[in-house]
Amino acid sequence: MSKIDLRLNDTPWLAPCDGTFSLESMPTRADEADAPISKKALRKVVRRIADAQRMLYAQNRFAVLLVFQAMDAAGKDSTIRNVLSGVNPAGCQVWSFKRPSSLELDHDFLWRTTLRLPERGRIGVFNRSQYEEVLVVRVHPSILDNQQLPIEPDLNTIWDDRLSSIAQQEAHLARNGTIVLKFFLNVSRDEQKRRFLDRLNRPEKRWKFEPNDVRERHHWEAYMSAYQQAIAATSNPWAPWYCIPADNKPRMRMEVAQIISRTLDALPLEFPQTGAADQAVHDEMHAQLLAEDQP
């Protein structure tokens, strides 16, 4: 199967697929002149996603993988919850990847996410992903010391090698019917600070707060550089990156929902058709069921 070009070229958040991506050119807030996003408008798009998901599940030929990456407090959890709220749970699975376990470290860095790839007919969601290995690990290369690598890693080549492995896997998935969409929720440093303070000031939100999240703010520029390199190296027509402005959460959710909906609409999805042999059996069963009501 050939790889499907998934790019929505009229979407301003699409990262170029020719290696020329510039994170600095991507805004963290959409045009404020745009009309505010209503919950009703989002629900309409969510229903379209749910309708497409039913065909996806029934057809059982394609799988969909949605990858969400962002700095802390960008809104990954709430976006996933709001955008996929109408999808049948039987056809959707969400995985959140945190620090690797000892078992996961006994395998290559793609192993733990490969285990969670969606089956045909299902939508899989990665809240963080294999990309952590070229983001947080790149910012903190001392993490490599605990990864039991067979040879001493060369910091001049390991990141390009890992990005190449990720891109090759995504190409393989695309050739085999997995639709890969990747979202970087692009929050500003000032907005992240405001959200951290909001968590600390509201008792019902303090459970979300991690002291290390504030410490990581000291590495902001290093993270932006890591994202720049990762997105530029792995945004491809068959596995595009979208850099969604994240300072306004309602608009961010709508942008993500519309991209998912439009991508699903462009796929050759349909409910399976009944063949002649099956139709004959169905007609016979229909007649038998009606006969049960006869005296």
Side-chain angles (χ1 to χ4, degrees):
M1 178 176 175
S2 61
K3 301 187 290 291
I4 299 175
D5 189 333
L6 302 174
R7 290 173 294 180
L8 300 178
N9 288 307
D10 59 346
T11 301
W13 322 127
L14 173 67
C17 297
D18 57 5
T20 63
F21 170 73
S22 170
L23 183 56
E24 290 184 353
S25 69
M26 306 303 290
T28 62
R29 182 175 291 274
D31 188 351
E32 292 298 335
D34 291 344
I37 299 299
S38 69
K39 292 182 179 179
K40 182 178 180 180
L42 178 60
R43 285 198 297 269
K44 185 177 180 180
V45 182
V46 167
R47 283 197 296 271
R48 293 207 304 267
I49 294 174
D51 291 342
Q53 182 267 337
R54 282 192 285 274
M55 283 191 287
L56 178 83
Y57 188 80
Q59 189 184 53
N60 200 36
R61 290 185 180 275
F62 293 97
V64 175
L65 175 62
L66 309 176
V67 176
F68 288 88
Q69 289 288 159
M71 297 295 286
D72 296 306
K76 296 186 302 299
D77 290 339
S78 65
T79 298
I80 293 167
R81 181 174 65 249
N82 282 272
V83 170
L84 297 174
S85 60
V87 173
N88 184 343
C92 183
Q93 56 200 48
V94 180
W95 300 101
S96 296
F97 296 97
K98 301 185 183 299
R99 180 177 299 179
S101 67
S102 57
L103 173 62
E104 290 166 342
L105 289 173
D106 277 336
H107 297 268
D108 68 274
F109 80 96
L110 289 175
W111 182 78
R112 67 172 181 158
T113 50
T114 301
L115 284 180
R116 306 305 184 190
L117 289 170
E119 306 163 19
R120 298 189 195 280
R122 297 177 66 114
I123 296 176
V125 183
F126 284 179
N127 184 342
R128 302 193 187 278
S129 67
Q130 63 273 20
Y131 281 93
E132 292 294 285
E133 293 295 326
V134 292
L135 296 170
V136 64
V137 181
R138 188 168 192 164
V139 174
H140 300 286
S142 61
I143 294 174
L144 293 169
D145 296 339
N146 299 318
Q147 294 197 345
Q148 301 162 219
L149 301 178
I151 60 174
E152 187 72 21
D154 181 350
L155 296 184
N156 293 315
T157 61
I158 187 172
W159 314 119
D160 287 343
D161 289 345
R162 287 189 170 188
L163 288 168
S164 177
S165 294
I166 292 172
Q168 289 171 17
Q169 185 189 48
E170 290 174 350
H172 166 76
L173 292 173
R175 283 191 294 268
N176 287 275
T178 296
I179 305 303
V180 182
L181 298 178
K182 299 171 291 187
F183 298 95
F184 171 53
L185 307 185
N186 189 18
V187 70
S188 67
R189 197 167 188 268
D190 287 343
E191 178 62 17
Q192 186 196 57
K193 175 182 177 180
R194 189 194 68 77
R195 293 178 187 178
F196 282 165
L197 289 172
D198 184 58
R199 289 179 181 181
L200 289 171
N201 291 332
R202 297 174 62 179
E204 72 276 14
K205 286 192 172 185
R206 286 178 192 159
W207 65 272
K208 292 184 177 182
F209 183 77
E210 289 287 344
N212 195 55
D213 292 347
V214 174
R215 299 186 188 106
E216 289 301 283
R217 282 172 58 81
H218 299 302
H219 305 285
W220 187 274
E221 294 304 322
Y223 274 108
M224 293 302 102
S225 176
Y227 272 109
Q228 163 76 41
Q229 299 299 319
I231 295 172
T234 61
S235 192
N236 289 299
W238 53 86
W241 274 103
Y242 292 93
C243 297
I244 311 296
D247 283 2
N248 181 315
K249 284 188 176 183
R251 179 158 297 281
M252 171 182 66
R253 294 164 187 161
M254 176 61 88
E255 296 291 348
V256 170
Q258 288 178 333
I259 290 169
I260 296 171
S261 177
R262 290 179 59 195
T263 301
L264 292 175
D265 287 346
L267 296 178
L269 299 179
E270 60 181 6
F271 289 108
Q273 301 297 309
T274 302
D278 288 335
Q279 186 61 52
V281 173
H282 293 172
D283 291 343
E284 180 183 351
M285 296 301 102
H286 184 267
Q288 288 186 23
L289 289 168
L290 292 177
E292 291 180 0
D293 297 330
Q294 302 300 317

